[in-house]
Amino acid sequence: MTQQMILMLLAGVGVGIGASFSGLGGGFLMVPLLLFLGYSAQKAVGTSFLAILVISASALLAHNKLANVDYRTGILLGLGGILGAQIGARLLEHVSTANFKKVFAVILAGLAGYLFFRS
């Protein structure tokens, strides 16, 4: 097993804990890691979604056992997300990795500021 494979497994553990604990999704952790490893923005986002799919399925099972799932709301959000995901993936094809990093950083900083200052 290579060092990069071990790093990915450990990152997956961290992202799984963070995503299941916070509900923010693993992308906010996984995408920066993949960008740091040299992935293009498009490949980092696409790869993170595969990892998130696996992590989300596991987190759903755990939260279901604790009766913490509103299936109706989750399905409605997911159905809307299907359309949004198709649009977002196509839009990302027209954004350079350098510009993506800037936009992603602004979104993360904005989210952090909102959570920090929210009463």
Side-chain angles (χ1 to χ4, degrees):
M1 192 178 270
T2 67
Q3 286 183 341
Q4 187 171 2
M5 291 172 70
I6 293 169
L7 174 64
M8 292 298 173
L9 287 172
L10 292 175
V13 171
V15 169
I17 291 168
S20 184
F21 178 80
S22 69
L24 291 174
F28 80 102
L29 296 171
M30 191 80 61
V31 171
L33 171 67
L34 293 171
L35 290 171
F36 176 76
L37 293 173
Y39 283 69
S40 69
Q42 294 79 6
K43 186 151 290 212
V45 170
T47 302
S48 76
F49 274 117
L50 177 57
I52 291 165
L53 174 67
V54 176
I55 293 166
S56 295
S58 177
L60 174 60
L61 291 174
H63 281 285
N64 183 60
K65 287 181 183 178
L66 300 168
N68 291 332
V69 180
D70 179 342
Y71 281 94
R72 183 175 183 265
T73 300
I75 288 170
L76 289 172
L77 288 168
L79 289 173
I82 290 170
L83 177 61
Q86 296 303 308
I87 294 168
R90 283 162 180 75
L91 289 174
L92 182 58
E93 284 299 308
H94 304 288
V95 178
S96 70
T97 298
N99 285 335
F100 174 82
K101 288 178 181 180
K102 292 172 187 169
V103 170
F104 195 73
V106 168
I107 291 169
L108 290 179
L111 178 61
Y114 171 77
L115 292 173
F116 185 79
F117 292 110
R118 184 176 149 205
S119 48

